[in-house]
């Protein structure tokens, strides 16, 4: 399945959940003629941990960068428990590099 997914341009590292004929499977599962596949990215609105067969825990925790006019949104996201950084004096690339160096090249 991993090769099939990447052949159509979806990086396997971005996949959160794979359903084959309605059942969660991992990326090593075989695909047969007539199989129905559903491939999903990271879920942010609901917990899919009980369904996951790809990994032991969800793909990642969402993080946010807020700049310029988004101070109130940044505050609200923090109050809701989201990892949120705010800076109103940096450009986009500078903000990403200064706050989360590993994301600067994204």
């Amino acid at each position: 399945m991993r090769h099939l997914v990447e052949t159509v341009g979806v990086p396997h590292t971005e996949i959160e959940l794979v359903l084959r004929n309605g059942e969660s499977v991992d990326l090593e599962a075989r695909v047969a003629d007539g199989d129905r596949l559903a491939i999903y990215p990271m879920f942010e609105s609901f917990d899919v941990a009980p369904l996951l067969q790809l990994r032991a825990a969800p793909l990642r925790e969402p993080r946010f960068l807020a700049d310029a006019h988004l101070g109130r949104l940044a505050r609200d996201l923090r109050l809701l428990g989201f990892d949120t950084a705010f800076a109103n004096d940096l450009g986009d690339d500078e903000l990403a590099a200064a706050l989360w160096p590993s994301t600067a090249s994204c």
Side-chain angles (χ1 to χ4, degrees), residues 5-106:
V5 169
E6 289 190 341
T7 298
V8 296
V10 179
H12 76 274
T13 55
E14 298 296 319
I15 297 172
E16 179 79 19
L17 177 66
V18 175
L19 300 177
R20 181 185 63 198
N21 302 322
E23 293 186 29
S24 181
V25 296
D26 66 18
L27 289 172
E28 305 311 317
R30 293 188 171 267
V31 178
D33 285 343
D35 280 348
R36 296 181 65 102
L37 303 175
I39 300 169
Y40 299 92
M42 179 183 70
F43 287 91
E44 296 182 31
S45 298
F46 58 94
D47 182 16
V48 296
L51 300 174
L52 290 180
Q53 296 294 321
L54 296 181
R55 59 190 56 78
L59 190 58
R60 62 188 176 271
E61 294 293 322
R63 301 182 303 176
F64 298 92
L65 294 172
D67 65 355
H69 307 287
L70 300 175
R72 186 173 184 183
L73 175 62
R75 185 200 68 205
D76 291 346
L77 287 169
R78 287 178 184 151
L79 288 172
L80 291 170
F82 290 101
D83 183 6
T84 306
F86 172 72
N88 63 359
D89 59 344
L90 300 174
D92 293 342
D93 292 338
E94 295 169 312
L95 182 64
L99 299 172
W100 289 309
S102 64
T103 63
S105 62
C106 294

